[in-house]
Amino acid sequence: MHTKPPTPTRLLPQQTRVIHASAGMRLRVVSGRVWLTQPHVAQDLFLGPGSVVDLLQDWIVVGADAEPAGTRPELYSEYVLTPLVAPAPGWFQRLRKSRIANRVRSGVSVIW
């Protein structure tokens, strides 16, 4: 199976977004410079092209720096988010079957 690479997310200077990554996401900076503010982390991270960070919580703010690093300012900053672990094919069907089997054994009615 051939998978298409993820499309980068573009941010204009000083633009921000909120990332929910409690399931685990990897952020890779493609161009420009971005900063991350994470809950319960005292210091922000400033990341340039090629930088990678693994995210494991919700409510992370990612923003484009006002003036991206480099001699020629970029028009935007870009980053790519990918899951830390890709689900195995058929994971939902296996989960559903195991839950049904557990409920049948326990005498609980199954509604899906």
Side-chain angles (χ1 to χ4, degrees):
M1 173 185 255
H2 186 279
T3 58
K4 193 167 112 176
T7 304
T9 299
R10 289 184 176 177
L11 294 174
L12 296 173
Q14 298 183 345
Q15 184 179 9
T16 60
R17 296 240 168 101
V18 174
I19 297 173
H20 296 288
S22 59
M25 299 295 285
R26 176 164 289 155
L27 182 140
R28 180 177 53 85
V29 179
V30 177
S31 67
R33 193 165 95 157
V34 301
W35 53 265
L36 293 176
T37 299
Q38 301 178 72
H40 313 294
V41 177
Q43 192 169 4
D44 289 349
L45 295 175
F46 287 84
L47 307 168
S51 296
V52 175
V53 64
D54 291 343
L55 308 173
L56 301 171
Q57 58 185 328
D58 290 333
W59 299 105
I60 297 170
V61 177
V62 60
D65 201 2
E67 297 179 15
T71 56
R72 184 180 75 77
E74 304 284 336
L75 298 176
Y76 49 81
S77 297
E78 290 181 311
Y79 65 90
V80 173
L81 282 175
T82 53
L84 284 178
V85 177
W91 69 270
F92 183 74
Q93 289 76 14
R94 287 193 303 276
L95 174 66
R96 184 175 175 197
K97 285 179 185 176
S98 69
R99 285 187 175 181
I100 290 172
N102 289 339
R103 288 181 181 183
V104 168
R105 279 193 292 268
S106 66
V108 176
S109 62
V110 178
I111 300 173
W112 279 63

